[in-house]
Amino acid sequence: MTNVVKQFGVFLAPHRDDEVRKRHAVAADRLGYGTVWFGTGRNSVGDLAFVEDVLASTERITVATAIVNMWVDEPETLADSYHRLAGRYGKRLLLGIGVGHPESVTEYRSPYDKIVDYLDRLDAAGVPAEARVLAALGDRVLKLAAERTAGAQPYLVPVGHTRHARSILGEGKLLAPEQKVVVDDDAVAARAIGRPFVHQPYLGLRNYVRNLLRHGYTEADVADGGSDRLIDDLVLHGTPETIAKGLRSHVDAGADHVAVQVLGPSPDVEAENHRQLAEVLL
């Protein structure tokens, strides 16, 4: 397994610019979080330049990509960048890689074959399996994650998926789901912040919708921006203590680590929420 050993990390999505995310990462390092996961969207990140900057600016936290899109960055480019950084930072670098979703890539074909080919090419370029994790939702890719990588980082999943994913991965493989949170005990206000991050784009992407339907939600739950039940499961809200209890539910269900994505009205509020959650989680 990788050195993602602490149970909680922070997930920083690209809706905040890189300077803000770097500040959050440096603060997360000081607060004691185990890993900072950088969402990349559809951007090319194969040179790992931003990751290198964050690694140089922090002391001990693991820095993970979440995810390098296989349709955007060639594995040989990623491998060259990995080797450049691994010699200096060792296991503090973790490559989260994935095939994305069909709506975002014009040439999207045979995603499973694409993943296998990408992993084969990373092998040929000398990137060790323990240095990479796979974005995985369905059983077939979860099994591949167990066979060919250090483990899986599922995105936008309820606790039920975590329990199921552990049964597929088996023991000894990293399971690190992402979980969105809003630190606010006003349910209406919290849903108003959280719902847009679930609705767009994820409830319009068939791989995410299919996964939610497999794990106990209905067509009504995924319609019209998501039911309150769905939003409350995918975006935990409440006091830091209440949220911590929900995050630990993933650990109880088999997660080794939870990537906590704090949503707030401003970067400053998110930074303060990271601090508040660290007090009860770490």
Side-chain angles (χ1 to χ4, degrees), residues 64-216:
T65 58
I67 59 168
V68 175
N69 191 312
M70 294 178 179
W71 300 98
V72 175
D73 286 302
E74 293 296 322
E76 290 77 17
T77 301
L78 183 62
D80 287 345
S81 300
Y82 167 80
H83 290 302
R84 186 183 80 246
L85 299 182
R88 184 178 303 174
Y89 300 104
K91 291 185 177 180
R92 286 185 61 209
L93 170 63
L94 181 63
L95 300 179
I97 56 177
V99 78
H101 44 81
E103 291 86 351
S104 69
V105 180
T106 302
E107 69 274 20
Y108 197 95
R109 297 288 188 278
S110 303
Y112 186 84
D113 292 343
K114 177 71 172 182
I115 297 171
V116 171
D117 177 68
Y118 204 95
L119 293 173
D120 287 346
R121 291 162 68 183
L122 287 179
D123 286 344
V127 177
E130 62 267 21
R132 62 204 192 202
V133 294
L134 197 58
L137 293 177
D139 290 4
R140 196 179 186 199
V141 181
L142 285 166
K143 290 175 183 176
L144 190 62
E147 294 167 358
R148 302 288 304 274
T149 77
Q153 202 227 4
Y155 187 89
L156 199 78
V157 293
V159 171
H161 181 275
T162 296
R163 186 174 296 106
H164 177 76
R166 173 52 68 199
S167 73
I168 300 299
L169 286 172
E171 297 303 317
K173 288 294 181 176
L174 177 71
L175 177 56
E178 175 267 354
Q179 175 68 62
K180 295 173 177 59
V181 307
V182 175
V183 183
D184 192 331
D185 57 7
D186 181 330
V188 174
R191 290 172 189 143
I193 292 172
R195 181 170 273 111
F197 284 90
V198 175
H199 183 201
Q200 295 292 340
Y202 302 108
L203 296 186
L205 302 177
R206 56 185 179 268
N207 56 339
Y208 286 102
V209 170
R210 281 199 303 263
N211 189 60
L212 293 169
L213 294 175
R214 283 195 299 263
H215 290 280

Side-chain angles (χ1 to χ4, degrees), residues 8-11 31-33 179-184 236-248 259-263 269-282:
F8 300 101
V10 296
F11 187 106
L31 288 167
Y33 287 99
Q179 175 68 62
K180 295 173 177 59
V181 307
V182 175
V183 183
D184 192 331
L236 301 177
H237 63 81
T239 66
E241 292 78 12
T242 299
I243 290 171
K245 183 178 179 181
L247 294 171
R248 291 192 179 102
V260 184
Q261 183 175 174
V262 170
L263 304 176
V269 170
E270 291 167 355
E272 172 60 16
N273 293 162
H274 288 146
R275 186 195 65 76
Q276 292 174 356
L277 288 168
E279 289 184 351
V280 295
L281 286 172
L282 305 179

